[in-house]
Amino acid sequence: MRISHWSLVASLAVPSAISARGLRRTYGEVVAVDSLDLEVAAGEIYGFLGPNGAGKSTVVRMLCTLASMTAGSASVAGFDVATEGDQVRLSIGVALQDAALDGKLTGRETLTLQGRYYGLERGAIATRIEELAPLLEMDAIDRRVSTYSGGMKRRLDLAAALMHNPDVLFLDEPTTGLDPISRAVVWEQIRRLNRELGMTIFLTTQYLEEADALTHRVGILNEGRLVAEGAPDELKRTVGSDVVVARVAGDPEAAAAAIGKVPGVSHIEVYGNEVSAATGDGASVVSPVAVALSAAGVEVSDLSIHPTTLDDVFLELTGARIEVEE
């Protein structure tokens, strides 16, 4: 299933910041990325959502020239990834899962060194560090990186990726392991970069709420394949506007059978002791569901209504849920 945004992009004549055709990466007999087609418009926040091992990081590494393609082609910022790698690297900023930071340097020295790598003058470097101050705790910027918390290292790595003001920013699970405050800071900076600078941002995440809150479009990746693509709200509407969830103390299969007989419900799923059903109007369906469960003799410990999430979309497409691993 794919809800395409490409026709809108074409109608607005928005150039592609990232384009891939038949992108494939294998490691021996293991297929990490399988014939991926991708189009990301300039100025878009595009997210890859999927569990660990889905191939998200491999895609990022290929697009950033850090890993070769087994097959296919790709361009980033108008440059061919395979033949114009130097131009690609000058046009992008990259913050990977494992921050490559020297613990002996201070935060300011790290950013200064990054600026020099890209040929920035001393004055421009100082200006950029001040502009990136909202990402950092400025009382820590002159401390050694080895004293930083995990959250501070992630934020410093993001700031380093932004020193040369790239056209395209790649973020590989940028908030994994961060505390809620640090995560909120990163989210706000991603929004600001896109809103004020029009920066194209490509991020991978295993957090459903992150993809929902930040991205204009999301691609759901599973076992190296793109199984769905579209705006988060569009994808959720393909499953249903609401989900009724019954937590049962009795037989969940009997509960599923009872719920399945209620008019207006679909996509019945059993997950442990929970039974979920998609519906267009949860408020009008929850009472008939309760009656059906009671008539079937199923003991219910909780019955609730939840808006459809991207996890429900993933479950519908793959039969599994995204298990977050910190």
Side-chain angles (χ1 to χ4, degrees), residues 11-251:
S11 67
L12 296 177
V14 178
S16 294
I18 301 170
S19 180
R21 294 291 179 270
L23 201 61
R24 182 177 174 87
R25 174 69 190 192
T26 60
Y27 297 93
E29 298 297 318
V30 177
V31 180
V33 179
D34 191 2
S35 302
L36 179 72
D37 291 338
L38 187 66
E39 202 80 21
V40 178
E44 186 175 22
I45 302 178
Y46 185 93
F48 255 171
L49 175 66
N52 281 345
K56 304 187 303 296
S57 296
T58 303
V59 172
V60 168
R61 293 182 67 83
M62 286 191 287
L63 294 175
C64 294
T65 77
L66 296 173
S68 60
M69 297 172 283
T70 304
S73 62
S75 66
V76 175
F79 299 107
D80 188 278
V81 170
T83 62
E84 299 175 298
D86 288 345
Q87 292 94 323
V88 170
R89 287 185 286 272
L90 286 171
S91 303
I92 65 174
V94 184
L96 301 177
Q97 289 187 49
D98 299 318
L101 300 173
D102 187 341
K104 296 179 182 179
L105 299 178
T106 66
R108 190 182 302 276
E109 289 169 342
T110 299
L111 296 179
T112 299
L113 187 61
Q114 184 75 0
R116 288 177 178 171
Y117 284 150
Y118 283 93
L120 299 183
E121 300 292 338
R122 181 176 301 178
I125 290 173
T127 299
R128 285 299 290 154
I129 291 175
E130 290 302 316
E131 290 172 347
L132 294 168
L135 264 175
L136 305 170
E137 297 171 9
M138 293 308 289
D139 61 347
I141 197 170
D142 291 309
R143 294 199 332 246
R144 290 184 185 271
V145 174
S146 59
T147 68
Y148 283 15
S149 66
M152 272 300 299
K153 288 179 181 178
R154 299 284 291 182
R155 288 157 65 177
L156 176 62
D157 193 41
L158 175 56
L162 293 167
M163 275 298 293
H164 60 297
N165 198 20
D167 296 322
V168 181
L169 177 63
F170 288 92
L171 303 176
D172 193 11
E173 302 202 7
T175 63
T176 295
L178 295 190
D179 60 85
I181 294 176
S182 294
R183 184 171 294 173
V185 170
V186 171
W187 280 20
E188 178 52 35
Q189 288 306 306
I190 290 173
R191 293 189 183 100
R192 185 185 67 81
L193 290 166
N194 180 257
R195 179 179 64 248
E196 297 180 6
L197 303 180
M199 187 177 292
T200 304
I201 300 173
F202 186 102
L203 66 89
T204 74
T205 184
Q206 56 182 324
Y207 294 120
L208 303 161
E209 71 276 13
E210 187 161 88
D212 210 347
L214 292 179
T215 64
H216 298 129
R217 283 191 306 142
V218 61
I220 297 180
L221 205 65
N222 186 51
E223 296 181 349
R225 293 190 174 189
L226 192 63
V227 296
E229 184 183 57
D233 286 344
E234 290 178 327
L235 289 173
K236 287 183 287 185
R237 281 197 297 270
T238 66
V239 176
S241 59
D242 293 317
V243 176
V244 176
V245 179
R247 185 174 295 113
V248 301
D251 181 5

